[in-house]
Amino acid sequence: MHRKKNNNRKPPPCPDPDRYHWVESEDGGYWRKNKASKAVNASFKKKTKEISEISPFGARLRRLLADFTVDLRMGRLGNRFNKALFTSLRETGKIMPQYLKGIEFQKDHFLSRLVHSGYFARHDKAHKTFTVTIPLVKNNTIKKISSLLTGYQFTAILIYQPRGAGSEPELISTGSSVYPFATNEVNCTLTLQIPSKPQWWILILRADTYEGKILALHHRHRGMAILDGSGNVR
């Protein structure tokens, strides 16, 4: 004997009144998601197009920097790149590397916190040189997290796109000597030079600490961040 359907039974709670509506069927009622409006579809298509332009550029940067980031705990670095580049695209209609300025490569261990003395960058357009200067303060340039640490080193990295059809982004870098924490030197100056004016560029600084002659293993003993950028990717 078949049971009679109870048509007076109350529907389950709606998951989202703004996005669902109740539908009756032969098998009973259920909450159906509303169809997307034309405005929503247009917004989705726009965002998909933006992602298709931004994501490859961010992925290319990460590939170029692979040798410098293998020992970093970066978390979702790609998302941080994309968020900044989304802002660039929506505010200017262009993908501009200067919007990446200040991005830290490690999620929890910032270069800006590791280097107590600070750092600054300079771009000499006339001579096509890039200079990073780190003031050296005796026993206070780098945060000495462990008593085993004996010294530190800085590396400046430049990624740039030469002008000309078919050219590919290039990477150059230069590193300092290893400074003891009790150094009496005043400044660490790192200079990079390129042969011609680039279409765009990104300048990065990395700091490492040492235990004797060995690079400190834990990722908290190093930091890396984008100092500046300029130009137009497309």
Side-chain angles (χ1 to χ4, degrees), residues 100-195:
L100 297 171
K101 182 178 179 178
I103 287 182
E104 295 276 356
F105 279 74
Q106 295 206 99
K107 178 185 175 185
D108 299 317
H109 304 287
F110 290 2
L111 177 73
S112 56
R113 295 174 187 166
L114 182 67
V115 184
H116 279 189
S117 62
Y119 40 81
F120 54 93
R122 181 174 178 268
H123 176 207
D124 185 339
K125 294 181 180 179
H127 297 91
K128 297 177 281 295
T129 59
F130 299 82
T131 305
V132 180
T133 303
I134 307 100
L136 301 181
V137 181
K138 190 172 183 178
N139 293 319
N140 199 36
T141 304
I142 290 278
K143 184 178 181 180
K144 193 172 183 180
I145 300 172
S146 168
S147 60
L148 297 175
L149 299 179
T150 57
Y152 51 86
Q153 182 182 38
F154 297 102
T155 304
I157 306 159
L158 181 71
I159 300 176
Y160 69 98
Q161 172 79 53
R163 293 181 180 273
S167 62
E168 291 292 327
E170 297 182 16
L171 183 151
I172 56 175
S173 67
T174 185
S176 72
S177 58
V178 178
Y179 297 98
F181 277 87
T183 183
N184 291 314
E185 295 192 45
V186 178
N187 286 316
C188 169
T189 302
L190 303 170
T191 302
L192 295 160
Q193 187 170 25
I194 55 177

Side-chain angles (χ1 to χ4, degrees), residues 1-221:
M1 182 176 180
H2 295 288
R3 286 186 178 182
K4 186 177 180 181
K5 289 184 179 179
N6 182 6
N7 293 324
N8 295 322
R9 188 175 60 183
K10 291 183 179 180
C14 179
D16 185 343
D18 294 329
R19 299 173 59 207
Y20 291 81
H21 63 281
W22 184 255
V23 175
E24 292 287 354
S25 71
E26 291 183 359
D27 296 324
Y30 63 96
W31 291 107
R32 176 187 288 169
K33 193 172 184 179
N34 300 334
K35 290 183 178 180
S37 65
K38 290 183 178 180
V40 171
N41 285 331
S43 176
F44 177 78
K45 288 178 181 178
K46 180 182 177 183
K47 189 169 184 179
T48 301
K49 183 176 182 295
E50 289 173 340
I51 291 172
S52 69
E53 295 176 357
I54 288 168
S55 293
F57 178 66
R60 181 185 295 177
L61 292 181
R62 297 197 301 278
R63 285 195 299 271
L64 284 169
L65 291 165
D67 290 342
F68 295 93
T69 60
V70 66
D71 55 354
L72 301 181
R73 185 169 290 181
M74 297 182 291
R76 302 175 73 181
L77 178 64
N79 284 6
R80 299 198 290 281
F81 278 179
N82 288 348
K83 184 178 179 181
L85 296 172
F86 266 128
T87 303
S88 168
L89 196 58
R90 289 175 177 176
E91 290 184 356
T92 68
K94 302 174 183 178
I95 300 175
M96 306 185 76
Q98 48 263 53
Y99 279 76
L100 297 171
K101 182 178 179 178
I103 287 182
E104 295 276 356
F105 279 74
Q106 295 206 99
K107 178 185 175 185
D108 299 317
H109 304 287
F110 290 2
L111 177 73
S112 56
R113 295 174 187 166
L114 182 67
V115 184
H116 279 189
S117 62
Y119 40 81
F120 54 93
R122 181 174 178 268
H123 176 207
D124 185 339
K125 294 181 180 179
H127 297 91
K128 297 177 281 295
T129 59
F130 299 82
T131 305
V132 180
T133 303
I134 307 100
L136 301 181
V137 181
K138 190 172 183 178
N139 293 319
N140 199 36
T141 304
I142 290 278
K143 184 178 181 180
K144 193 172 183 180
I145 300 172
S146 168
S147 60
L148 297 175
L149 299 179
T150 57
Y152 51 86
Q153 182 182 38
F154 297 102
T155 304
I157 306 159
L158 181 71
I159 300 176
Y160 69 98
Q161 172 79 53
R163 293 181 180 273
S167 62
E168 291 292 327
E170 297 182 16
L171 183 151
I172 56 175
S173 67
T174 185
S176 72
S177 58
V178 178
Y179 297 98
F181 277 87
T183 183
N184 291 314
E185 295 192 45
V186 178
N187 286 316
C188 169
T189 302
L190 303 170
T191 302
L192 295 160
Q193 187 170 25
I194 55 177
S196 59
K197 183 180 178 181
Q199 180 179 331
W200 58 263
W201 56 268
I202 297 170
L203 184 62
I204 300 163
L205 179 65
R206 171 171 167 142
D208 290 286
T209 52
Y210 282 78
E211 297 175 1
K213 295 183 179 180
I214 302 172
L215 194 66
L217 293 178
H218 199 280
H219 51 270
R220 66 178 178 166
H221 298 308

